Amino acid sequence: MPNKKSLHIESSGQLCIYCGACVGICPLNCIYLDETRITFDESVCTRCEICVKACPVGAIEIG
Amino acid sequence: MAPTLRPDVLVIGAGPAGSMTAKWAAKRGASVLLLEKRQEIGSPVRCGEGMSKEWLREVGITPGRWINVEVEGARIYSPSEKVFEINEKHAGNEVGYVVERDEFDKQLAIDAANAGVEIRLKTAAIGLLREGGRIVGAKVKQFGETTEIRAPVTVAADGFESQVGRWAGIPTDLALRDMDTCLQYRMTNVDSDVRYCDFFLGKVAPGGYVWVFPKGEGLANVGIGVQVSQVKNLADAKTYLDRWIEHHPGYAKGKKIDMVGGGVSISPPLKQTVADGIMLVGDAARMIDPLTGGGIANGCIAGKICGEVAAEAAALGDPSKAFLQKYERGWRARLEEKLYRNWLAKEKLVTLSDETFDKIVDALAGIRLEKLNVHNILKAVQAKYPEVTQEFAAFL
């Protein structure tokens, strides 16, 4: 089992408002915003949690 | 495969800074291609829609139907809701309009088109083209088809979530204290005053403020910015905004009809905004005013300079970093001092207690200021609360 914490971006629109705040703050430039989709590159992400703080609606969780 | 396009200047992003850059490059004789990844320029709106107005003439924007409300002034509310009013008499340049941002952005794109700019919608940059260490265009995806667009000069105007600059190797990273996380509702049936843009300071919005920008007929943009370094819990921006609304009956009775969010940089100016073959402009270049969070004016002012330099570089066949420094020098001469000064002021303001905010606003509320500047503000505060000004020794 990988011991890395897992990052979850709720990007189905239940919480996410596709504002791009997480995209702009990600220090590794690994979060991407389409019009109706947020994705991130798991292989680049270091789980620094900066995007979690930047999200105004709490759509990103790490656990 | 679509044909390879070869404009003189390729502008990525059709927000205000991108459209301005494109327009001025075309006016100076360049062939310009402006890309917008969305299907509609100006939409969705991610903005409080308040802006000052004295700079519009400088960049050649004429007032149009994008103006929603012309306000008389701004009101600054301390935590205990003492009020200090800033009006046109002593702060003419900071007073202005509440706008329809989608209309504004479209008008700027129309101005660019009228100057001869080609526009492609639904076209996203997905990478940069390089030749011998120089950026020579971008790889783009248009309606699912990948194309290469080669251009001597590429301009990244791709907004707060800019990736193009980082692809070019220009550092645009933000410290947590240099970003606000923002949320705004458009509300109807609220008691906003169409004469004023209102700002609420202190613990109601740690490291930022709550704003109410009136849009007329009981409609207003009610939003919040919270400094990311002061975020404690998931969704703090929303929690603080909802709490503020709940505690203000004139807003609690309103209905939300729209919700927007986003990041706003409140950073000092970047050290570098050009590289060989590429320039950064607007929010992508972290040109947002770190005190107010406003980005439109600075983006447009820098956009004009950027467009002019882009056209000149293309005409001379010299898009080298050394030549593009002309843009770097130009926008810094016009904007850098204020950006840096306001960043320092922001760094100080975010440390103030609610008590200090109350004293400052109270001291200002009772007097008539001839001119609004830091010196006059501190003088007024010193007269009533001398102990407070000790905190600001560095500014005197």
Side-chain angles (χ1 to χ4, degrees), chain B residues 107-127:
Chain B
Q107 185 58 55
L108 264 49
I110 290 168
D111 292 349
N114 290 343
V117 172
E118 281 292 325
I119 302 172
R120 294 277 186 282
L121 300 177
K122 207 80 179 159
T123 305
I126 56 171

Side-chain angles (χ1 to χ4, degrees), chain B residues 31-277:
Chain B
S31 67
V32 185
L33 179 62
L34 175 61
L35 307 182
E36 171 54 50
K37 72 176 174 184
R38 300 196 175 86
Q39 64 202 22
E40 181 182 345
I41 288 171
S43 177
V45 173
R46 294 202 323 243
C47 177
E49 301 187 300
M51 71 184 202
S52 57
K53 62 188 178 191
E54 98 289 354
W55 54 275
L56 291 165
R57 185 191 295 266
E58 172 184 347
V59 299
I61 300 174
T62 45
R65 64 177 178 188
W66 45 268
I67 296 172
N68 188 180
V69 167
E70 184 166 8
V71 293
E72 291 171 20
R75 293 184 298 199
I76 312 293
Y77 288 78
S78 75
S80 68
E81 306 219 341
K82 296 184 192 316
V83 189
F84 168 55
E85 187 184 320
I86 301 170
N87 60 41
E88 201 146 8
K89 266 174 250 132
H90 56 233
N93 56 358
E94 301 297 342
V95 171
Y97 300 129
V98 178
V99 304
E100 303 286 4
R101 248 313 281 282
D102 47 345
E103 290 289 335
F104 180 76
D105 285 22
K106 284 188 183 76
Q107 185 58 55
L108 264 49
I110 290 168
D111 292 349
N114 290 343
V117 172
E118 281 292 325
I119 302 172
R120 294 277 186 282
L121 300 177
K122 207 80 179 159
T123 305
I126 56 171
L128 289 170
L129 307 177
R130 282 186 174 76
E131 219 162 65
R134 168 174 298 189
I135 307 303
V136 293
K139 188 187 272 190
V140 308
K141 209 168 181 179
Q142 180 175 16
F143 288 106
E145 200 173 343
T146 302
T147 312
E148 291 189 349
I149 299 176
R150 296 179 67 86
V153 183
T154 300
V155 176
D158 53 332
F160 171 77
E161 66 267 29
S162 174
Q163 296 191 305
V164 178
R166 296 198 262 191
W167 291 338
I170 299 174
T172 58
D173 288 354
L174 293 169
L176 293 187
R177 70 173 200 277
D178 286 332
M179 177 187 165
D180 266 14
T181 171
C182 301
L183 191 70
Q184 171 184 276
Y185 302 119
R186 178 154 320 164
M187 299 186 75
T188 187
N189 301 316
V190 296
D191 291 343
S192 58
D193 187 329
V194 288
R195 294 172 300 169
Y196 300 100
C197 284
D198 290 335
F199 300 83
F200 296 80
L201 304 177
K203 295 276 183 301
V204 291
Y209 59 81
V210 168
W211 66 82
V212 176
F213 295 165
K215 292 183 71 71
E217 296 175 3
L219 205 61
N221 288 337
V222 184
I224 193 171
V226 175
Q227 195 178 22
V228 174
S229 54
Q230 299 203 41
V231 166
K232 300 273 188 299
N233 301 297
L234 220 53
D236 260 1
K238 183 171 185 301
T239 307
Y240 279 105
L241 180 58
D242 289 345
R243 188 179 303 157
W244 185 90
I245 290 169
E246 196 185 308
H247 288 143
H248 289 78
Y251 295 89
K253 66 176 182 163
K255 306 277 187 290
K256 298 160 191 158
I257 58 165
D258 189 18
M259 177 175 176
V260 298
V264 169
S265 61
I266 47 172
S267 64
L270 290 185
K271 294 205 163 47
Q272 177 196 356
T273 56
V274 302
D276 285 316

Side-chain angles (χ1 to χ4, degrees), chain A residues 1-44:
Chain A
M1 280 287 283
N3 57 7
K4 261 186 180 176
K5 290 190 280 186
S6 76
L7 179 77
H8 176 66
I9 302 183
E10 191 296 309
S11 60
S12 70
Q14 288 291 309
L15 291 169
C16 179
I17 54 174
Y18 311 110
C19 73
C22 54
V23 180
I25 195 81
C26 174
L28 293 163
N29 206 16
C30 75
I31 309 180
Y32 311 95
L33 168 69
D34 285 340
E35 261 172 87
T36 55
R37 210 164 55 112
I38 296 259
T39 52
F40 76 105
D41 188 336
E42 189 115 24
S43 69
V44 177

